[in-house]
Amino acid sequence: MRRYVFSSSCSVYGHGEGLGLTETSPRHPVSLYARAKAEVEDFLLDLGGKSKGQMEVTRLRLATVFGLSPRMRFDLAINVMTKNAYVNRRITVDGGGRQWRPFVHVLDVARAFDLALTIDASKVAGEVFNVGSDANNVQILNLAFRVRDAVPGTEVVHAPTDPDLRDYNVSFDKIHRVLSFRADKSLDEGIREVLGALREGVVDPDERRYYTLKQYVFLREAEQAHSDLAIDGKLLDTSAAAPRRDRNSSLLSSS
């Protein structure tokens, strides 16, 4: 493996200092997820440097992803707001709603990875790029209103929660300037896309796999159940012990 493209996140900026954060802006991650992303970024950069050119490391800091995909996500802002508006006609805004977030469509993310994997190494090796669109920087409350407008009859309510410490407005000039990449899909296109899939029954809003935490809990419980039932690490194969029946449904005798 010569080239490694790491899927990082703009969440590493955490509580950002000002608007239009660039790849050289200080990182202030405030969640375990964001801290882990920042640590892996540093580890890979160091690893690439020590490889003396044998490993080309690129870090892509993704804006919050939205849009329809085979492995749908209904625990990300645009998608979950659209789902809640469609199912419940109600969107709940946490943390005041004044916090900034950048967004990017899943198809634009795929294009960015393809580009980072195939373009000349001199442009990407050892580099980090924010992936998204300046036009898709939006405050959460404004996003809720845009979803509300797409689903008539939807109510926007504020949850009595503490202010959200994550607040970052990001610049995507570098990836456009260096790689000639632009994210094409708008927020409104994404809202309409997800809403259309829900209305047409293409996606099930109750599917467990579409919620990462629910899926992880399920997998953990399944693993625990396997461990509880296993003997020497293996489950009993009951098929071999089950009685077989002949064509007349009588039990076969071993005698």
Side-chain angles (χ1 to χ4, degrees):
M1 178 180 62
R2 183 176 181 87
R3 185 170 300 186
Y4 188 96
V5 181
F6 175 56
S7 179
S8 189
S9 168
C10 285
S11 65
V12 298
Y13 297 116
H15 190 69
E17 299 177 355
L19 303 180
L21 300 171
T22 70
E23 288 79 357
T24 59
S25 296
R27 297 174 304 178
H28 297 294
V30 297
S31 67
L32 176 60
Y33 170 83
R35 291 196 298 272
K37 289 290 189 182
E39 289 175 6
V40 175
E41 276 193 12
D42 295 340
F43 170 78
L44 289 173
L45 182 62
D46 181 63
L47 188 65
K50 290 179 178 178
S51 74
K52 297 180 180 179
Q54 295 303 302
M55 186 175 182
E56 302 158 358
V57 173
T58 304
R59 297 152 294 158
L60 298 183
R61 291 178 182 164
L62 307 183
T64 300
V65 182
F66 66 91
L68 196 63
S69 66
R71 198 293 205 186
M72 192 59 190
R73 291 285 303 276
F74 277 130
D75 45 12
L76 297 172
I78 292 178
N79 293 354
V80 70
M81 283 188 181
T82 305
K83 185 269 293 186
N84 287 342
Y86 175 74
V87 174
N88 305 316
R89 292 301 190 270
R90 183 183 180 95
I91 299 172
T92 301
V93 175
D94 295 310
R98 301 296 178 183
Q99 62 274 27
W100 286 93
R101 291 284 193 286
F103 294 91
V104 64
H105 193 278
V106 62
L107 292 181
D108 287 324
V109 170
R111 289 195 303 108
F113 272 94
D114 179 66
L115 183 60
L117 286 166
T118 57
I119 201 168
D120 187 86
S122 64
K123 293 181 177 292
V124 294
E127 295 291 340
V128 57
F129 297 94
N130 295 330
V131 180
S133 166
D134 290 349
N136 286 354
N137 278 302
V138 65
Q139 290 175 295
I140 293 298
L141 185 58
N142 177 272
L143 174 61
F145 290 152
R146 292 169 80 157
V147 175
R148 178 200 63 185
D149 292 344
V151 188
T154 297
E155 177 187 17
V156 176
V157 299
H158 291 265
T161 54
D162 293 331
D164 192 340
L165 295 178
R166 297 169 300 165
D167 184 6
Y168 43 97
N169 177 299
V170 180
S171 169
F172 301 95
D173 174 70
K174 180 180 177 181
I175 195 169
H176 172 60
R177 175 170 39 84
V178 177
L179 305 184
S180 298
F181 173 87
R182 281 190 183 278
D184 295 329
K185 297 286 188 177
S186 71
L187 302 180
D188 295 325
E189 285 179 283
I191 294 168
R192 289 193 298 269
E193 177 184 73
V194 175
L195 184 59
L198 288 165
R199 285 173 171 164
E200 295 167 14
V202 174
V203 292
D204 179 0
D206 296 320
E207 169 59 52
R208 181 196 68 247
R209 293 173 301 156
Y210 298 164
Y211 302 84
T212 299
L213 181 57
K214 288 182 181 180
Q215 179 69 354
Y216 285 173
V217 169
F218 168 79
L219 293 174
R220 184 183 64 184
E221 292 176 348
E223 181 181 28
Q224 184 61 52
H226 181 280
S227 177
D228 291 343
L229 296 172
I231 299 175
D232 294 330
K234 297 181 179 179
L235 292 178
L236 176 64
D237 184 0
T238 57
S239 62
R244 295 179 293 121
R245 296 180 180 272
D246 64 11
R247 294 176 182 174
N248 296 320
S249 298
S250 61
L251 290 175
L252 292 175
S253 173
S254 59
S255 60

